Short mmCIF file of all heavy atoms in Angstrom, two decimals:
data_model
loop_
_atom_site.label_atom_id
_atom_site.label_comp_id
_atom_site.label_asym_id
_atom_site.label_seq_id
_atom_site.Cartn_x
_atom_site.Cartn_y
_atom_site.Cartn_z
N SER A 73 316.94 307.51 19.58
CA SER A 73 317.84 308.65 19.58
C SER A 73 318.53 308.85 20.92
O SER A 73 319.49 309.61 21.02
CB SER A 73 317.07 309.93 19.21
OG SER A 73 316.55 309.84 17.91
N ILE A 74 318.05 308.19 21.97
CA ILE A 74 318.66 308.31 23.29
C ILE A 74 319.91 307.45 23.41
O ILE A 74 320.90 307.85 23.99
CB ILE A 74 317.64 307.91 24.38
CG1 ILE A 74 316.51 308.93 24.44
CG2 ILE A 74 318.31 307.79 25.75
CD1 ILE A 74 315.33 308.46 25.24
N THR A 75 319.87 306.24 22.84
CA THR A 75 320.94 305.28 23.05
C THR A 75 321.94 305.18 21.90
O THR A 75 323.14 305.11 22.11
CB THR A 75 320.34 303.89 23.30
OG1 THR A 75 319.50 303.52 22.18
CG2 THR A 75 319.48 303.88 24.56
N ILE A 76 321.43 305.17 20.66
CA ILE A 76 322.28 304.88 19.50
C ILE A 76 323.34 305.96 19.24
O ILE A 76 324.52 305.64 19.05
CB ILE A 76 321.41 304.65 18.24
CG1 ILE A 76 320.62 303.36 18.38
CG2 ILE A 76 322.28 304.58 17.00
CD1 ILE A 76 321.46 302.12 18.42
N PRO A 77 322.98 307.25 19.18
CA PRO A 77 324.02 308.25 18.84
C PRO A 77 325.20 308.24 19.80
O PRO A 77 326.35 308.37 19.36
CB PRO A 77 323.24 309.58 18.91
CG PRO A 77 321.83 309.21 18.61
CD PRO A 77 321.63 307.88 19.25
N LYS A 78 324.95 308.10 21.10
CA LYS A 78 326.06 308.07 22.06
C LYS A 78 326.91 306.82 21.85
O LYS A 78 328.16 306.90 21.92
CB LYS A 78 325.51 308.10 23.49
CG LYS A 78 326.59 308.07 24.57
CD LYS A 78 327.56 309.23 24.44
CE LYS A 78 328.62 309.21 25.53
NZ LYS A 78 329.64 310.27 25.35
N ALA A 79 326.28 305.68 21.58
CA ALA A 79 327.03 304.46 21.33
C ALA A 79 327.89 304.59 20.07
O ALA A 79 329.04 304.14 20.04
CB ALA A 79 326.08 303.27 21.21
N MET A 80 327.34 305.22 19.03
CA MET A 80 328.11 305.42 17.80
C MET A 80 329.27 306.39 18.03
O MET A 80 330.37 306.17 17.51
CB MET A 80 327.19 305.95 16.69
CG MET A 80 326.17 304.94 16.19
SD MET A 80 325.34 305.48 14.67
CE MET A 80 324.60 307.02 15.20
N ALA A 81 329.01 307.45 18.80
CA ALA A 81 330.08 308.42 19.08
C ALA A 81 331.21 307.77 19.86
O ALA A 81 332.40 308.01 19.58
CB ALA A 81 329.50 309.60 19.85
N ASN A 82 330.87 306.92 20.83
CA ASN A 82 331.91 306.24 21.59
C ASN A 82 332.73 305.30 20.71
O ASN A 82 333.95 305.15 20.91
CB ASN A 82 331.27 305.46 22.75
CG ASN A 82 330.90 306.35 23.91
OD1 ASN A 82 331.13 307.55 23.89
ND2 ASN A 82 330.31 305.77 24.94
N SER A 83 332.06 304.65 19.75
CA SER A 83 332.79 303.74 18.87
C SER A 83 333.72 304.50 17.93
O SER A 83 334.86 304.10 17.72
CB SER A 83 331.80 302.90 18.06
OG SER A 83 331.12 301.99 18.88
N ILE A 84 333.23 305.59 17.37
CA ILE A 84 334.04 306.32 16.39
C ILE A 84 335.20 307.05 17.06
O ILE A 84 336.27 307.23 16.47
CB ILE A 84 333.16 307.31 15.58
CG1 ILE A 84 333.85 307.69 14.27
CG2 ILE A 84 332.82 308.53 16.39
CD1 ILE A 84 333.94 306.59 13.27
N TRP A 85 335.02 307.46 18.33
CA TRP A 85 336.09 308.18 19.04
C TRP A 85 336.87 307.27 19.97
O TRP A 85 337.75 307.75 20.69
CB TRP A 85 335.50 309.35 19.83
CG TRP A 85 334.86 310.41 18.99
CD1 TRP A 85 333.54 310.73 18.91
CD2 TRP A 85 335.53 311.28 18.06
NE1 TRP A 85 333.33 311.74 18.01
CE2 TRP A 85 334.55 312.10 17.46
CE3 TRP A 85 336.87 311.44 17.68
CZ2 TRP A 85 334.86 313.06 16.51
CZ3 TRP A 85 337.17 312.40 16.72
CH2 TRP A 85 336.17 313.20 16.16
N ASP A 86 336.55 305.97 19.97
CA ASP A 86 337.26 304.98 20.78
C ASP A 86 337.28 305.38 22.26
O ASP A 86 338.34 305.49 22.89
CB ASP A 86 338.70 304.80 20.26
CG ASP A 86 339.38 303.59 20.91
OD1 ASP A 86 338.66 302.72 21.44
OD2 ASP A 86 340.62 303.54 20.90
N THR A 87 336.10 305.61 22.80
CA THR A 87 335.98 305.96 24.20
C THR A 87 334.78 305.23 24.80
O THR A 87 333.96 304.68 24.07
CB THR A 87 335.80 307.49 24.38
OG1 THR A 87 335.72 307.80 25.77
CG2 THR A 87 334.54 307.97 23.69
N ARG A 88 334.70 305.24 26.12
CA ARG A 88 333.58 304.58 26.82
C ARG A 88 332.86 305.53 27.75
O ARG A 88 331.88 305.15 28.39
CB ARG A 88 334.10 303.39 27.65
CG ARG A 88 334.73 302.26 26.86
CD ARG A 88 335.38 301.27 27.82
NE ARG A 88 334.45 300.81 28.84
CZ ARG A 88 334.80 300.19 29.96
NH1 ARG A 88 336.09 299.97 30.20
NH2 ARG A 88 333.90 299.81 30.85
N SER A 89 333.29 306.75 27.87
CA SER A 89 332.82 307.64 28.93
C SER A 89 331.51 308.33 28.57
O SER A 89 331.21 308.60 27.41
CB SER A 89 333.88 308.70 29.23
OG SER A 89 334.08 309.54 28.12
N ILE A 90 330.75 308.60 29.62
CA ILE A 90 329.57 309.44 29.55
C ILE A 90 329.55 310.24 30.85
O ILE A 90 329.84 309.70 31.93
CB ILE A 90 328.27 308.62 29.36
CG1 ILE A 90 327.07 309.55 29.24
CG2 ILE A 90 328.07 307.63 30.50
CD1 ILE A 90 325.76 308.83 28.87
N SER A 91 329.25 311.52 30.78
CA SER A 91 329.28 312.36 31.97
C SER A 91 328.21 311.93 32.97
O SER A 91 327.24 311.26 32.62
CB SER A 91 329.08 313.83 31.59
OG SER A 91 327.75 314.03 31.12
N TYR A 92 328.40 312.34 34.22
CA TYR A 92 327.45 311.99 35.28
C TYR A 92 326.05 312.49 34.94
O TYR A 92 325.07 311.73 35.02
CB TYR A 92 327.94 312.59 36.60
CG TYR A 92 327.06 312.28 37.80
CD1 TYR A 92 327.29 311.15 38.57
CD2 TYR A 92 326.01 313.13 38.17
CE1 TYR A 92 326.50 310.86 39.68
CE2 TYR A 92 325.22 312.84 39.26
CZ TYR A 92 325.46 311.71 40.01
OH TYR A 92 324.67 311.43 41.10
N TRP A 93 325.94 313.76 34.55
CA TRP A 93 324.64 314.32 34.23
C TRP A 93 324.12 313.81 32.90
O TRP A 93 322.90 313.72 32.68
CB TRP A 93 324.70 315.84 34.25
CG TRP A 93 324.93 316.38 35.63
CD1 TRP A 93 326.06 316.98 36.11
CD2 TRP A 93 324.02 316.32 36.73
NE1 TRP A 93 325.92 317.31 37.42
CE2 TRP A 93 324.67 316.91 37.84
CE3 TRP A 93 322.73 315.82 36.89
CZ2 TRP A 93 324.06 317.03 39.08
CZ3 TRP A 93 322.12 315.93 38.14
CH2 TRP A 93 322.78 316.53 39.20
N GLY A 94 325.04 313.49 31.99
CA GLY A 94 324.60 312.87 30.74
C GLY A 94 324.00 311.51 30.97
O GLY A 94 323.01 311.13 30.35
N CYS A 95 324.58 310.76 31.90
CA CYS A 95 324.05 309.45 32.26
C CYS A 95 322.68 309.60 32.93
O CYS A 95 321.76 308.83 32.64
CB CYS A 95 325.02 308.74 33.20
SG CYS A 95 324.54 307.06 33.67
N ALA A 96 322.55 310.59 33.81
CA ALA A 96 321.27 310.82 34.48
C ALA A 96 320.19 311.19 33.46
O ALA A 96 319.05 310.70 33.54
CB ALA A 96 321.42 311.93 35.52
N ALA A 97 320.55 312.03 32.49
CA ALA A 97 319.58 312.42 31.46
C ALA A 97 319.19 311.24 30.59
O ALA A 97 318.01 311.05 30.25
CB ALA A 97 320.17 313.54 30.60
N GLN A 98 320.17 310.42 30.23
CA GLN A 98 319.90 309.24 29.41
C GLN A 98 319.00 308.26 30.16
O GLN A 98 318.05 307.71 29.59
CB GLN A 98 321.21 308.57 29.01
CG GLN A 98 321.05 307.52 27.92
CD GLN A 98 322.38 306.92 27.51
OE1 GLN A 98 323.08 306.31 28.31
NE2 GLN A 98 322.75 307.11 26.25
N LEU A 99 319.27 308.05 31.45
CA LEU A 99 318.46 307.14 32.25
C LEU A 99 317.03 307.66 32.37
O LEU A 99 316.07 306.90 32.22
CB LEU A 99 319.08 306.98 33.63
CG LEU A 99 318.44 305.96 34.59
CD1 LEU A 99 319.50 305.33 35.48
CD2 LEU A 99 317.38 306.62 35.47
N PHE A 100 316.88 308.96 32.62
CA PHE A 100 315.54 309.55 32.74
C PHE A 100 314.76 309.41 31.45
O PHE A 100 313.60 308.97 31.44
CB PHE A 100 315.63 311.02 33.14
CG PHE A 100 314.35 311.78 32.94
CD1 PHE A 100 313.28 311.59 33.80
CD2 PHE A 100 314.22 312.66 31.88
CE1 PHE A 100 312.09 312.27 33.60
CE2 PHE A 100 313.03 313.35 31.68
CZ PHE A 100 311.97 313.15 32.55
N LEU A 101 315.37 309.79 30.32
CA LEU A 101 314.67 309.76 29.05
C LEU A 101 314.31 308.34 28.62
O LEU A 101 313.22 308.09 28.11
CB LEU A 101 315.53 310.44 27.97
CG LEU A 101 315.69 311.96 28.13
CD1 LEU A 101 316.72 312.48 27.13
CD2 LEU A 101 314.36 312.67 27.94
N PHE A 102 315.23 307.40 28.86
CA PHE A 102 314.94 306.02 28.48
C PHE A 102 313.81 305.45 29.34
O PHE A 102 312.92 304.76 28.84
CB PHE A 102 316.20 305.16 28.61
CG PHE A 102 315.99 303.75 28.12
CD1 PHE A 102 316.00 303.46 26.76
CD2 PHE A 102 315.79 302.70 29.01
CE1 PHE A 102 315.80 302.17 26.30
CE2 PHE A 102 315.60 301.41 28.55
CZ PHE A 102 315.60 301.14 27.20
N SER A 103 313.83 305.74 30.65
CA SER A 103 312.76 305.28 31.53
C SER A 103 311.43 305.91 31.13
O SER A 103 310.39 305.23 31.09
CB SER A 103 313.07 305.63 32.99
OG SER A 103 314.27 305.02 33.41
N PHE A 104 311.46 307.19 30.83
CA PHE A 104 310.24 307.90 30.44
C PHE A 104 309.65 307.33 29.15
O PHE A 104 308.46 307.00 29.09
CB PHE A 104 310.56 309.39 30.27
CG PHE A 104 309.50 310.17 29.55
CD1 PHE A 104 308.23 310.29 30.07
CD2 PHE A 104 309.78 310.79 28.34
CE1 PHE A 104 307.25 311.01 29.40
CE2 PHE A 104 308.82 311.50 27.66
CZ PHE A 104 307.55 311.62 28.20
N ILE A 105 310.48 307.17 28.13
CA ILE A 105 309.96 306.76 26.83
C ILE A 105 309.54 305.29 26.84
O ILE A 105 308.50 304.93 26.28
CB ILE A 105 311.00 307.04 25.74
CG1 ILE A 105 311.10 308.55 25.50
CG2 ILE A 105 310.66 306.33 24.44
CD1 ILE A 105 312.06 308.97 24.43
N SER A 106 310.32 304.41 27.47
CA SER A 106 309.95 302.99 27.49
C SER A 106 308.66 302.77 28.28
O SER A 106 307.81 301.97 27.87
CB SER A 106 311.09 302.16 28.09
OG SER A 106 311.40 302.60 29.41
N THR A 107 308.47 303.49 29.40
CA THR A 107 307.24 303.37 30.16
C THR A 107 306.06 303.97 29.40
O THR A 107 304.96 303.40 29.40
CB THR A 107 307.38 304.06 31.53
OG1 THR A 107 308.56 303.61 32.18
CG2 THR A 107 306.19 303.74 32.42
N ALA A 108 306.28 305.11 28.75
CA ALA A 108 305.23 305.73 27.95
C ALA A 108 304.82 304.82 26.78
O ALA A 108 303.64 304.74 26.43
CB ALA A 108 305.69 307.08 27.43
N GLU A 109 305.80 304.14 26.19
CA GLU A 109 305.49 303.24 25.08
C GLU A 109 304.63 302.07 25.54
O GLU A 109 303.67 301.69 24.85
CB GLU A 109 306.79 302.73 24.45
CG GLU A 109 306.56 301.90 23.19
CD GLU A 109 307.82 301.76 22.36
OE1 GLU A 109 308.83 302.42 22.67
OE2 GLU A 109 307.78 300.99 21.38
N PHE A 110 304.93 301.51 26.70
CA PHE A 110 304.13 300.41 27.21
C PHE A 110 302.72 300.90 27.55
O PHE A 110 301.73 300.19 27.31
CB PHE A 110 304.80 299.79 28.44
CG PHE A 110 304.24 298.46 28.82
CD1 PHE A 110 303.89 297.52 27.87
CD2 PHE A 110 304.05 298.12 30.15
CE1 PHE A 110 303.37 296.28 28.22
CE2 PHE A 110 303.54 296.89 30.53
CZ PHE A 110 303.19 295.97 29.55
N SER A 111 302.61 302.10 28.12
CA SER A 111 301.30 302.67 28.41
C SER A 111 300.51 302.88 27.13
O SER A 111 299.30 302.59 27.07
CB SER A 111 301.45 304.01 29.15
OG SER A 111 302.16 303.86 30.35
N LEU A 112 301.18 303.36 26.09
CA LEU A 112 300.51 303.60 24.82
C LEU A 112 300.07 302.30 24.16
O LEU A 112 298.98 302.22 23.57
CB LEU A 112 301.43 304.39 23.89
CG LEU A 112 300.78 305.00 22.65
CD1 LEU A 112 299.72 306.01 23.05
CD2 LEU A 112 301.83 305.66 21.78
N LEU A 113 300.88 301.27 24.25
CA LEU A 113 300.49 299.96 23.71
C LEU A 113 299.26 299.42 24.44
O LEU A 113 298.42 298.75 23.83
CB LEU A 113 301.65 298.98 23.83
CG LEU A 113 302.84 299.23 22.89
CD1 LEU A 113 304.00 298.30 23.23
CD2 LEU A 113 302.43 299.05 21.43
N THR A 114 299.14 299.72 25.73
CA THR A 114 297.96 299.31 26.48
C THR A 114 296.73 300.07 25.99
O THR A 114 295.65 299.48 25.82
CB THR A 114 298.17 299.58 27.99
OG1 THR A 114 299.36 298.93 28.42
CG2 THR A 114 297.00 299.05 28.80
N ILE A 115 296.88 301.37 25.75
CA ILE A 115 295.77 302.17 25.23
C ILE A 115 295.37 301.69 23.84
O ILE A 115 294.18 301.64 23.49
CB ILE A 115 296.16 303.66 25.20
CG1 ILE A 115 296.38 304.19 26.61
CG2 ILE A 115 295.11 304.49 24.48
CD1 ILE A 115 296.92 305.61 26.67
N MET A 116 296.35 301.30 23.04
CA MET A 116 296.06 300.80 21.69
C MET A 116 295.31 299.48 21.73
O MET A 116 294.50 299.18 20.85
CB MET A 116 297.36 300.68 20.89
CG MET A 116 298.02 302.01 20.60
SD MET A 116 299.67 301.89 19.85
CE MET A 116 299.24 301.47 18.17
N ALA A 117 295.56 298.68 22.76
CA ALA A 117 294.79 297.44 22.94
C ALA A 117 293.32 297.78 23.24
O ALA A 117 292.40 297.12 22.74
CB ALA A 117 295.38 296.60 24.07
N TYR A 118 293.11 298.82 24.05
CA TYR A 118 291.75 299.28 24.34
C TYR A 118 291.08 299.79 23.08
O TYR A 118 289.88 299.54 22.85
CB TYR A 118 291.81 300.37 25.40
CG TYR A 118 290.48 300.99 25.74
CD1 TYR A 118 289.48 300.23 26.38
CD2 TYR A 118 290.21 302.32 25.45
CE1 TYR A 118 288.26 300.81 26.70
CE2 TYR A 118 288.99 302.90 25.77
CZ TYR A 118 288.02 302.14 26.40
OH TYR A 118 286.81 302.71 26.71
N ASP A 119 291.82 300.50 22.24
CA ASP A 119 291.30 300.99 20.96
C ASP A 119 290.84 299.84 20.07
O ASP A 119 289.74 299.87 19.50
CB ASP A 119 292.38 301.81 20.25
CG ASP A 119 292.05 302.06 18.79
OD1 ASP A 119 291.15 302.87 18.52
OD2 ASP A 119 292.69 301.44 17.91
N ARG A 120 291.65 298.79 19.96
CA ARG A 120 291.26 297.63 19.14
C ARG A 120 290.07 296.88 19.76
O ARG A 120 289.22 296.36 19.04
CB ARG A 120 292.45 296.68 19.00
CG ARG A 120 293.61 297.19 18.18
CD ARG A 120 293.20 297.47 16.73
NE ARG A 120 292.60 298.79 16.58
CZ ARG A 120 291.71 299.09 15.66
NH1 ARG A 120 291.27 298.18 14.81
NH2 ARG A 120 291.20 300.32 15.57
N TYR A 121 290.01 296.85 21.09
CA TYR A 121 288.87 296.21 21.76
C TYR A 121 287.56 296.93 21.42
O TYR A 121 286.55 296.29 21.07
CB TYR A 121 289.10 296.20 23.26
CG TYR A 121 287.85 295.91 24.07
CD1 TYR A 121 287.33 294.62 24.16
CD2 TYR A 121 287.18 296.95 24.74
CE1 TYR A 121 286.18 294.37 24.89
CE2 TYR A 121 286.03 296.69 25.47
CZ TYR A 121 285.54 295.41 25.54
OH TYR A 121 284.39 295.16 26.25
N LEU A 122 287.57 298.26 21.50
CA LEU A 122 286.36 299.02 21.19
C LEU A 122 285.99 298.89 19.71
O LEU A 122 284.82 298.76 19.36
CB LEU A 122 286.55 300.49 21.55
CG LEU A 122 286.64 300.84 23.03
CD1 LEU A 122 286.83 302.35 23.20
CD2 LEU A 122 285.40 300.38 23.78
N ALA A 123 287.00 298.93 18.83
CA ALA A 123 286.74 298.88 17.39
C ALA A 123 286.10 297.56 16.97
O ALA A 123 285.26 297.53 16.06
CB ALA A 123 288.03 299.12 16.62
N ILE A 124 286.48 296.46 17.62
CA ILE A 124 286.00 295.14 17.20
C ILE A 124 284.83 294.65 18.05
O ILE A 124 283.86 294.08 17.53
CB ILE A 124 287.16 294.13 17.23
CG1 ILE A 124 288.20 294.50 16.16
CG2 ILE A 124 286.67 292.71 17.01
CD1 ILE A 124 289.43 293.66 16.16
N CYS A 125 284.90 294.89 19.35
CA CYS A 125 283.86 294.37 20.25
C CYS A 125 282.68 295.33 20.42
O CYS A 125 281.56 294.89 20.70
CB CYS A 125 284.45 294.05 21.63
SG CYS A 125 285.75 292.81 21.58
#
Side-chain angles (χ1 to χ4, degrees):
S73 297
I74 293 167
T75 57
I76 292 295
K78 180 58 179 175
M80 291 192 301
N82 282 358
S83 291
I84 200 69
W85 296 112
D86 191 20
T87 181
R88 296 172 54 196
S89 65
I90 182 173
S91 68
Y92 182 90
W93 293 110
C95 183
Q98 193 177 61
L99 185 147
F100 165 73
L101 291 172
F102 185 78
S103 300
F104 166 63
I105 288 182
S106 58
T107 309
E109 186 163 352
F110 195 40
S111 302
L112 193 62
L113 289 173
T114 305
I115 295 174
M116 293 172 77
Y118 177 67
D119 166 73
R120 292 298 84 208
Y121 164 76
L122 291 180
I124 294 176
C125 299

